[in-house]
């Protein structure tokens, strides 16, 4: 058998292809075993990898060896080992893992997390938490996610979406977000040259609407009907008569009068009640909102949701409510900048308002509500009273598109509808009669 050290001297500086030819000739001639051939090939690969490793390999003061190795995601990873030999083992394994991934092709799941790595920098922790939940719902553990993204066809994407729709009973809004995730991943894959063509570019969300579950929520689930409001109002008054220093009911009453978001209510200050210097009218300046970070478990005060402050006129009813709160605080010796005071936090948190509202709804036997029901109710009342979309959107703090799509409902009663129909029918018959009377028509033409 050949001396390995002597053989290394022969093939050390040769191109890999030439060295492999020589080794194979030795094997065919019976001068080298297959196990020796495999070992030498392994050693050659190791030497080539270490030779081409570009990151610095250094020994620090603690005696340990350090370097950065590449990963399939493209983000270098720090490796620390007690000996150089162990560190070199890690370097070789890292490059082999990349080679294996390249042979198999990067998967949809790997592309998804690479897209998320960048996209998460643009969104809040609460949105990140929602994305994580959606990932588990749509993609985790699915064979589709483990497929090389370059091998996925347009039809395969469509079949996957339809299959998840059947299992999860998705509505239109869910299908829109589901398809949006997939399109973003493919767009990222093309940007990173993992694919040459985006097979999702021609897929339209409307293609899936025929299989969507139609979710039509009854009005009493999204609004506060008059009968429910009467019960809720009486229950809140009972709370305040029993304990006038329990501030969540006051916040709920103000929500019913203004349609303010729950986060805007909890951090409302007395300094936000202002007087216009020109007209002398009083208004609420809505300029901040409380948020809860589900990741850090911390409350924070930020701008309002759309980053646009707004004003809400103080009506007689709002004035009476604010005066009642102010009187309670003064009589109890409370000196606070916050309207909805809390002895431990300075102001009550949005969660306390929401919990109080839902609990009171359950106690009086109506559907549990959130403060958004008041926002929808106020907007719908105004719209049915003929107030323009621009004005209602400004008061509620939404865009006109969002207001029209999600906050506007028909709250007119049967009596009002009957009057509208009567006027419409009278007008239609009057036109018909005028056309049937030639003399009248001639007179009108003159």
């Amino acid at each position: 058998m050949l001396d390995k050290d002597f053989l290394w001297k022969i093939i050390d500086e040769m191109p890999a292809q030439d060295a492999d030819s020589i080794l194979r000739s030795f094997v065919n001639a019976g001068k080298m075993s297959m196990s020796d051939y495999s070992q030498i090939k392994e050693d050659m690969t190791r030497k080539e990898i270490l030779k081409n490793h570009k990151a610095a390999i250094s020994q620090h003061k603690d005696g340990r060896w350090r370097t950065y190795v590449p990963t399939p995601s493209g983000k270098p990873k720090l490796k620390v080992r007690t000996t150089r030999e162990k560190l070199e083992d890690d370097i070789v394994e890292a490059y082999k893992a990349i080679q294996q991934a390249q042979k198999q092709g990067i998967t949809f799941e790997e592309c998804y997390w690479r897209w998320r790595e960048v996209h998460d920098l643009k969104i809040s922790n609460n949105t990140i938490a929602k994305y994580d939940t959606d990932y588990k719902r749509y993609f985790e553990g699915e064979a589709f996610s483990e497929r090389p993204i370059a091998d996925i066809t347009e039809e395969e994407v469509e079949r996957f979406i339809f299959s998840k729709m059947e299992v999860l009973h998705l509505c239109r809004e869910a299908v829109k977000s589901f398809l949006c995730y997939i399109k973003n991943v493919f767009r990222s894959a093309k940007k990173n040259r993992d694919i040459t063509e985006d097979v999702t570019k021609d897929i339209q969300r409307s293609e899936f609407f025929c299989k969507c579950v139609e979710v039509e929520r009854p009005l009493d689930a999204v609004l506060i009907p008059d009968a429910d409001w009467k019960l809720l109002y009486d229950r809140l008054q009972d709370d305040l008569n029993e304990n006038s220093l329990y501030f969540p009911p006051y916040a709920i009453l103000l929500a019913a009068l203004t349609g303010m978001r729950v986060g805007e209510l909890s951090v409302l200050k007395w300094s936000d009640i202002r007087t216009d210097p020109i007209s002398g009218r009083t208004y609420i300046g809505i300029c901040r909102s409380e948020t809860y970070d589900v990741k850090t478990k911390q409350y924070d005060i930020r701008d309002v949701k759309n980053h646009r402050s707004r004003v809400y006129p103080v009506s007689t009813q709002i004035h009476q409510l604010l005066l009642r709160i102010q009187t309670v605080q003064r009589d109890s010796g409370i000196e606070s900048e916050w309207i909805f005071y809390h002895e431990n936090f300075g102001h009550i948190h949005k969660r306390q308002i929401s919990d109080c509202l839902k609990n009171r709804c359950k106690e009086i036997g109506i559907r549990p509500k959130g403060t958004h029901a008041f926002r929808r109710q106020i907007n719908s009342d105004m719209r049915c009273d003929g107030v323009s979309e621009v004005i209602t959107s400004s008061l509620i703090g939404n865009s006109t598109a969002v207001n029209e799509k999600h906050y506007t409902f028909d709250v007119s009663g049967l009596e009002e509808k009957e009057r509208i129909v009567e006027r419409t029918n009278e007008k239609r018959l009057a036109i018909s009669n005028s056309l049937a009377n030639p003399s009248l028509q001639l007179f009108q033409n003159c």
Side-chain angles (χ1 to χ4, degrees):
M1 301 298 286
L2 291 174
D3 184 345
K4 290 183 182 179
D5 292 336
F6 174 72
L7 186 59
W8 262 114
K9 291 179 181 179
I10 297 175
I11 66 174
D12 189 27
E13 300 299 330
M14 285 185 180
Q17 188 173 358
D18 294 342
D20 186 61
S21 297
I22 291 176
L23 292 174
R24 286 185 177 277
S25 67
F26 287 143
V27 172
N28 294 334
K31 296 180 180 181
M32 178 183 294
S33 67
M34 282 301 299
S35 61
D36 286 342
Y37 169 78
S38 299
Q39 183 60 53
I40 292 175
K41 283 283 293 182
E42 184 72 21
D43 292 342
M44 289 172 59
T45 302
R46 179 186 179 90
K47 184 175 181 180
E48 186 71 16
I49 289 174
L50 294 175
K51 178 181 177 181
N52 294 325
H53 181 61
K54 296 180 180 180
I57 300 175
S58 58
Q59 186 178 25
H60 285 228
K61 294 180 181 180
D62 60 2
R64 296 195 295 176
W65 292 82
R66 289 171 167 80
T67 192
Y68 282 90
V69 299
T71 64
S73 68
K75 185 178 181 180
K77 184 178 181 180
L78 177 65
K79 287 287 185 179
V80 181
R81 291 292 181 262
T82 55
T83 67
R84 183 179 182 114
E85 183 179 2
K86 290 181 179 179
L87 185 64
E88 289 178 348
D89 289 341
D90 286 344
I91 295 172
V92 173
E93 288 302 317
Y95 281 96
K96 285 184 177 179
I98 291 177
Q99 290 171 359
Q100 185 65 23
Q102 289 173 343
K103 288 180 182 178
Q104 295 177 347
I106 187 170
T107 65
F108 176 89
E109 182 176 28
E110 291 168 332
C111 288
Y112 172 88
W113 288 113
R114 184 180 59 194
W115 165 69
R116 281 285 305 276
E117 186 177 356
V118 176
H119 190 71
D120 286 3
L121 300 175
K122 310 172 188 176
I123 56 181
S124 67
N125 285 340
N126 290 356
T127 306
I128 290 173
K130 178 186 181 299
Y131 279 26
D132 290 342
T133 301
D134 284 347
Y135 172 78
K136 293 178 181 179
R137 186 186 188 197
Y138 298 135
F139 304 113
E140 188 174 63
E142 295 289 339
F144 178 88
S145 301
E146 299 172 4
R147 292 266 291 136
I149 196 166
D151 295 343
I152 297 176
T153 64
E154 180 177 342
E155 290 79 8
E156 190 173 353
V157 173
E158 292 174 340
R159 284 195 299 270
F160 175 61
I161 294 175
F162 277 122
S163 67
K164 296 299 289 186
M165 289 176 64
E166 185 176 356
V167 173
L168 299 175
H169 308 291
L170 301 180
C171 65
R172 289 193 176 195
E173 292 303 317
V175 168
K176 289 177 185 178
S177 64
F178 184 19
L179 180 58
C180 187
Y181 286 130
I182 295 175
K183 281 180 170 287
N184 281 330
V185 173
F186 273 88
R187 193 176 296 118
S188 171
K190 186 174 182 181
K191 187 185 298 183
N192 286 279
R193 297 183 175 86
D194 298 315
I195 55 176
T196 57
E197 181 184 5
D198 180 359
V199 299
T200 67
K201 68 180 186 300
D202 294 327
I203 299 178
Q204 302 297 321
R205 59 193 183 188
S206 57
E207 299 173 27
F208 306 97
F209 288 168
C210 60
K211 295 290 185 179
C212 286
V213 175
E214 297 296 333
V215 179
E216 186 175 351
R217 300 173 67 188
L219 283 181
D220 65 339
V222 294
L223 302 173
I224 304 284
D226 292 345
D228 288 358
W229 170 238
K230 177 66 169 62
L231 293 172
L232 180 59
Y233 179 83
D234 291 344
R235 183 66 180 85
L236 295 173
Q237 293 298 334
D238 290 342
D239 279 342
L240 295 176
N241 291 334
E242 183 178 338
N243 181 7
S244 61
L245 293 177
Y246 181 52
F247 284 89
Y250 294 119
I252 295 171
L253 291 172
L254 187 59
L257 295 173
T258 63
M260 291 174 62
R261 298 181 179 92
V262 64
E264 297 167 347
L265 289 163
S266 62
V267 289
L268 194 63
K269 296 182 177 181
W270 288 112
S271 58
D272 297 326
I273 313 302
R274 305 164 187 169
T275 301
D276 183 74
I278 299 176
S279 65
R281 298 185 180 279
T282 306
Y283 65 91
I284 302 174
I286 305 171
C287 56
R288 74 184 71 82
S289 180
E290 183 183 50
T291 61
Y292 179 73
D293 193 316
V294 296
K295 186 175 181 180
T296 63
K297 310 298 182 186
Q298 297 290 325
Y299 286 96
D300 191 19
I301 299 178
R302 301 180 182 178
D303 290 341
V304 291
K305 187 174 182 179
N306 55 7
H307 305 291
R308 288 200 297 262
S309 300
R310 66 186 191 279
V311 299
Y312 200 96
V314 174
S315 65
T316 302
Q317 297 78 12
I318 295 173
H319 174 76
Q320 291 173 347
L321 176 60
L322 292 174
L323 184 61
R324 181 180 180 182
I325 298 171
Q326 190 178 55
T327 302
V328 166
Q329 289 193 4
R330 184 185 64 242
D331 293 347
S332 302
I334 297 172
E335 296 182 3
S336 173
E337 63 177 327
W338 307 103
I339 292 180
F340 303 112
Y341 169 78
H342 190 283
E343 59 183 351
N344 295 328
F345 311 121
H347 62 83
I348 61 176
H349 288 310
K350 55 188 286 187
R351 180 68 178 271
Q352 294 172 273
I353 302 172
S354 298
D355 287 349
C356 177
L357 177 55
K358 290 177 181 177
N359 289 336
R360 297 303 175 268
C361 288
K362 291 178 182 178
E363 290 168 4
I364 61 179
I366 65 174
R367 288 177 182 267
K369 314 285 184 183
T371 54
H372 261 63
F374 294 121
R375 292 172 59 75
R376 299 186 194 100
Q377 186 71 52
I378 287 179
N379 180 75
S380 299
D381 287 342
M382 291 181 179
R383 293 291 287 134
C384 287
D385 282 343
V387 181
S388 77
E389 188 177 297
V390 174
I391 294 176
T392 58
S393 299
S394 174
L395 289 171
I396 296 297
N398 290 329
S399 67
T400 54
V402 168
N403 230 37
E404 186 65 26
K405 185 174 183 180
H406 300 290
Y407 289 80
T408 303
F409 299 86
D410 179 12
V411 294
S412 60
L414 184 59
E415 183 179 352
E416 184 176 353
K417 287 185 172 70
E418 184 179 341
R419 287 197 300 269
I420 294 172
V421 171
E422 287 282 354
R423 289 197 300 269
T424 302
N425 290 345
E426 287 176 2
K427 181 179 179 181
R428 180 59 52 189
L429 289 175
I431 294 174
S432 300
N433 291 334
S434 66
L435 293 176
N437 189 330
S439 61
L440 179 60
Q441 186 177 7
L442 178 64
F443 178 77
Q444 290 175 337
N445 289 338
C446 293

